[in-house]
Amino acid sequence: ITSDDQFVWSVNPDNDSVSVFNVAGDANQKVAEIAVGKEPWCVAITPDNTKVYVTNMASGTVSVINAATQQVIKTIAVGTEPFGCAVSPEGDKLYVANQSSESVSVIRTKSDKVIRTITYVGRKPHGIAVPADGDKVYVTQFLAQVPEISLRPLTQSEGADDGREGRVTVIDGKKNRVIKTVVLSPLADVGAAFRSDGNTLAREPTQAVPVFDNVVGGFPNLLESIVIRGNIAYIANTCSSPNGPFRFNVNVQSCLSMIDTGSDVEAFPTLNMNVGVNFEPVGKKLFNTNPFMVAFKRSASEGFVALAATDRLL
């Protein structure tokens, strides 16, 4: 949405285009559809609303659109599979996460040229966000990683519910270099409503009459996006619990992880958002799957999470 609340720009990955909607006064009318590169994934708007940037995942490019004329004015080559994008608060830089190049492209918006490629930003950089002061840039690593060998028990299996950890890379926004990796720790218990019948790693078989008495943990995985509100960064992700046996509400959970952007550590333990399912009325309960994006109200302490596979807002 533009800073003046007049227009919404939306990518259409299956149509290789961007749609523009007039939302002033709740008009909610589509006014344009602009062809861009293949599989557009992220859209970012400069603070003055003059330019719109679109990452094209399959093309490995960024389309630059003149917001007034609604025309593509330039195409910038970046890394392989650019996903997330974010404009700096001053509007002078665009950051692009290149998932398969494991890099972040820094583009100067005045010239629309890549001025720096930041390497070694971690495995599968995906979502990206810049806090209001612009001092740092946060990049999610899409897939969870095995902990450093010095930090895990010798008996720990990668197939355990705590066998991996989520990671978010922190970049110095002034010097354009990696300064830290924030670890999102596994949950020891995803909740009493999500116990398993049996334990695969412990070779405990399922019962003829199911007894759901095994505690299930989970680690943040599939870190789709990151959104900063105040001094907290919110990361929508799917918690994975690989230890079986397989069951729809045992092996994956919809999770929300949080980082304190002041200290760059976890602000709170990861939240399993499926604990809210039991608050829903019978007949409307749905197991939440594939949390994709977080957005907050500007005037209230309330936010929404888009759930891609459940086709709803949480």
Side-chain angles (χ1 to χ4, degrees), residues 10-18 33 36-41 57:
S10 175
V11 293
N12 307 308
D14 294 332
N15 199 36
D16 299 338
S17 69
V18 179
E33 187 168 329
V36 289
K38 292 185 179 297
E39 295 187 37
W41 195 262
M57 188 271 290

Side-chain angles (χ1 to χ4, degrees), residues 1-2 5-10 18-24 28-29 31-32 43 45:
I1 189 167
T2 53
D5 296 334
Q6 300 295 300
F7 296 96
V8 164
W9 292 72
S10 175
V18 179
S19 295
V20 189
F21 300 90
N22 173 19
V23 295
N28 299 335
Q29 294 176 332
V31 296
V43 59
I45 307 170

Side-chain angles (χ1 to χ4, degrees), residues 58 125 145 150-151 195 236 256 261 273 275 285 291 302:
Q145 303 295 310
S150 61
L151 301 177
R195 300 284 192 258
L256 189 67
T261 58
M273 295 183 289
V275 298
K285 289 184 178 183
E302 185 176 30

